[in-house]
Amino acid sequence: MSNLEELLQQQEDLKKQIKLASKAERVEALKSVRSLCKQHGFTASMLKGALASGRTRRK
């Protein structure tokens, strides 16, 4: 296996690791948000203005 092929394989492996780490970080952040909302009694409607706008529904 040439040096270039090894480096390309390492690049692919790193991309996979980055994707998994990002997903795990999002899951932990969501758990934290849910816990804080439950702890302080916030509802989705209370936070609606503070959250980023999401998908818009088609009419």
Side-chain angles (χ1 to χ4, degrees):
M1 193 177 241
S2 73
N3 192 24
L4 177 60
E5 290 173 343
E6 290 175 20
L7 290 173
L8 289 173
Q9 182 60 41
Q10 288 176 1
Q11 183 181 19
E12 289 299 317
D13 292 341
L14 285 174
K15 284 181 183 180
K16 289 177 186 176
Q17 289 177 3
I18 289 170
K19 188 175 183 180
L20 289 174
S22 176
K23 184 175 181 178
E25 191 173 318
R26 283 192 312 263
V27 167
E28 288 302 317
L30 184 58
K31 284 181 185 177
S32 175
V33 168
R34 285 181 176 162
S35 172
L36 288 170
C37 285
K38 184 179 275 189
Q39 180 181 357
H40 296 287
F42 290 129
T43 62
S45 61
M46 295 167 108
L47 298 174
K48 197 169 197 169
L51 298 174
S53 61
R55 292 186 345 199
T56 55
R57 295 182 185 248
R58 294 182 185 170
K59 291 182 179 180

